[in-house]
Amino acid sequence: MSRMEIALKRQPGQHLRPDDFELRSSALDHALDKGQVRLRVHWLSIDPYQRGLLDQVPMFGRRVMVGDMMAGRGIGEVIESRSERFVPGDWVIGETGWATEAIVPDSALVPAAGASEFLSHHLGVLGVPGLTAFLGLYALGDVGEGDVLLVSSAAGAVGSTVVQLAKARGVKVIGLTSGAAKASFLREQLKVDGVIDRLQGPPLPQALREAAPDGFSCFFDNVGEQMLVDGLGALRPRGRALLCGYIAGYEAGAPVVPAETLRLIMRQRLEVRGFLVHDHASRFGEARSALEDLLRSGQLQAVQTVVQGLERAPAALCDLLAGRASGKVVVRVLGSG
């Protein structure tokens, strides 16, 4: 028995390229150990953090080496089981890697409930991005009417959910994005109060002043680097900022946080908080239930980009890092049923 998988072919340069990876066949014919299941992978999650797994000094404490299968989460159907938790036909979420099949211990899997056409939402609005948006807004403080919220990467997996949740609370929301298509989507579909396309118009500090002459009360940052610096500079005195993502930093080289920004935080008495969603795992059940209710009622849209075929996963990650994708990026693994 064999599977198809994507492996790292060479150490990437500063900017990731699709041909840094290769599609190959590998054997997966060994018998299951007790507690393991064999999965047929149907969906893969494409996430910014995966770029950090490829660095020679990995950002997240683990590293994908040259020759290794690419790491990543996915949704699969159990086709063989030596588990007391799962039986063939069950749908589960876990660390599958970029492959058509996987053998995974049941302790590393969680059920993926719901109709098959909505399964991919468990990697997006009902998964880590949605949980990050929901719990991140709580961590940012009592965001509600009277607040003016700036959201970077507003058309991304986390940002597109943040803007919808904030709008439902009566918040005035200004979204930062790149490209006319994403700007139009934010205005017309998500009804964002204002959109700044960083590829058009004046320099970002000027655009921020024009969008909120009295400053922003809150900033939900998914980008980092210079956008973080400019966003902090646009906050009112005693403004609040949540540092949630760092997509600009994965391929940017040396970080850009000038000393003047630190002085600004002190001078403006800003509240700046780092946020990792897994610190709030005790609230995942509550948050997911609320998101499911909002999705079911039509009050929340699941924004995603679907890429067809395992072989296109490397290009999907490159497009995500370059800002060419909207919402949650998922790969539909073809040839997996």
Side-chain angles (χ1 to χ4, degrees), residues 148 172 174 205-216 234-237:
V148 182
K172 181 178 180 180
I174 307 297
Q206 178 183 340
L208 292 170
R209 287 193 298 271
E210 293 174 357
D214 296 326
F216 296 90
L235 285 172
R236 302 170 184 170

Side-chain angles (χ1 to χ4, degrees), residues 113-161:
S116 59
E117 65 266 30
F118 298 118
L119 280 170
S120 63
H121 295 341
H122 289 278
L123 300 175
V125 69
L126 300 179
V128 171
L131 296 172
T132 299
F134 187 92
L135 296 170
L137 273 179
Y138 274 102
L140 192 51
D142 188 20
V143 181
E145 290 186 14
D147 276 312
V148 182
L149 172 66
L150 176 66
V151 182
S152 61
S153 190
V158 174
S160 62
T161 304

